[in-house]
Amino acid sequence: MNKLLAETFGTFWLVLGGCGSAVLAAGFPDVGIGLLGVSLAFGLTVVTMAYAIGHISGCHLNPAITVGLWVGGRFAAKDVLPYIIAQVIGGIIAGGILYVIATGQAGFDVPASGFAANGYGEHSPGQYSLVAALVCEIVMTMMFLLVIMGSTDSRAPQGFAPLAIGLCLTLIHLISIPVTNTSVNPARSTGVAVFVGDWAVSQLWLFWVAPIIGAALGALAYKMIAGEEG
């Protein structure tokens, strides 16, 4: 139960910090943080939570990472579904808190704003196609999982994994926000999509399927290139 609570709170912080920066601060007049700021916000949520709860739950905060670590032999199959449920609950609670805050501004329109939801086609920030979004999410999550497994390998320098993982997520956002608003995390996508409804929910399937495929590929790739773990 401690592990599940840690995953719930950790994912809550990731969605509130990352999506909150996009919804509340990215385009704020004159001092908006922009794409770079949002990218850093997502990375910082992972760094801070990795140090805060990594020793409790492993700090997955992401159903795709949980599945990928299971594929990579780093996580027990019996714990996969409970972790995913905890992560999605944390993401939706964060989406609800963000909804309450954002709608406190006069005239704020959740569907019109996009509410940091992920999308493709006309709902992609750069109008990228479904195929482009699918490939982007698979490849970005694959590399994310590879970095996670490599930086947490017992042969890697100890204590630096949270920084490597957080910086990797920052880089992923710098690359892919224009394509899909960057998911690589089904819980993050679900947490805001349920409050947008309509198109965000109808396109949500891609942001479950692609990250999970990518994470599995990343785990297999790491096992192939790393050989026997230390």
Side-chain angles (χ1 to χ4, degrees):
M1 183 57 68
N2 288 347
K3 293 180 179 181
L4 298 181
L5 284 173
E7 285 296 304
T8 300
F9 276 97
T11 311
F12 168 85
W13 184 232
L14 183 146
V15 174
L16 185 63
C19 295
S21 71
V23 172
L24 304 175
F28 194 76
D30 300 326
V31 292
I33 61 175
L35 186 153
L36 176 59
V38 173
S39 301
L40 283 169
F42 273 100
L44 289 170
T45 62
V46 170
V47 171
T48 52
M49 278 296 108
Y51 283 117
I53 66 167
H55 56 288
I56 300 171
S57 68
C59 192
H60 297 188
L61 318 185
N62 182 339
I65 299 308
T66 297
V67 172
L69 292 174
W70 167 66
V71 172
R74 299 274 190 92
F75 196 66
K78 66 181 178 63
D79 294 326
V80 170
L81 185 59
Y83 261 53
I84 291 175
I85 292 171
Q87 292 155 0
V88 171
I89 289 172
I92 292 174
I93 293 173
I97 295 294
L98 181 56
Y99 178 88
V100 171
I101 296 171
T103 55
Q105 182 185 48
F108 185 86
D109 187 323
V110 171
S113 73
F115 206 55
N118 303 113
Y120 54 84
E122 65 179 311
H123 301 293
S124 156
Q127 307 289 293
Y128 285 84
S129 68
L130 185 157
V131 172
L134 186 69
V135 171
C136 183
E137 289 289 327
I138 289 174
V139 173
M140 295 300 154
T141 316
M142 179 183 73
M143 296 308 299
F144 193 29
L145 203 286
L146 193 149
V147 169
I148 289 170
M149 290 193 67
S151 62
T152 56
D153 193 306
S154 60
R155 297 169 292 182
Q158 299 301 297
F160 294 100
L163 295 176
I165 295 166
L167 287 171
C168 181
L169 188 59
T170 298
L171 176 59
I172 285 169
H173 279 78
L174 288 172
I175 297 167
S176 60
I177 284 177
V179 183
T180 62
N181 244 357
T182 308
S183 171
V184 302
N185 184 338
R188 168 262 188 268
S189 298
T190 303
V192 291
V194 295
F195 293 94
V196 177
D198 192 24
W199 66 265
V201 172
S202 69
Q203 294 192 354
L204 186 58
W205 67 270
L206 186 145
F207 303 104
W208 275 86
V209 172
I212 288 174
I213 291 173
L217 291 174
L220 295 174
Y222 184 75
K223 291 178 70 175
M224 181 175 65
I225 65 176
E228 181 104 13
E229 288 186 24

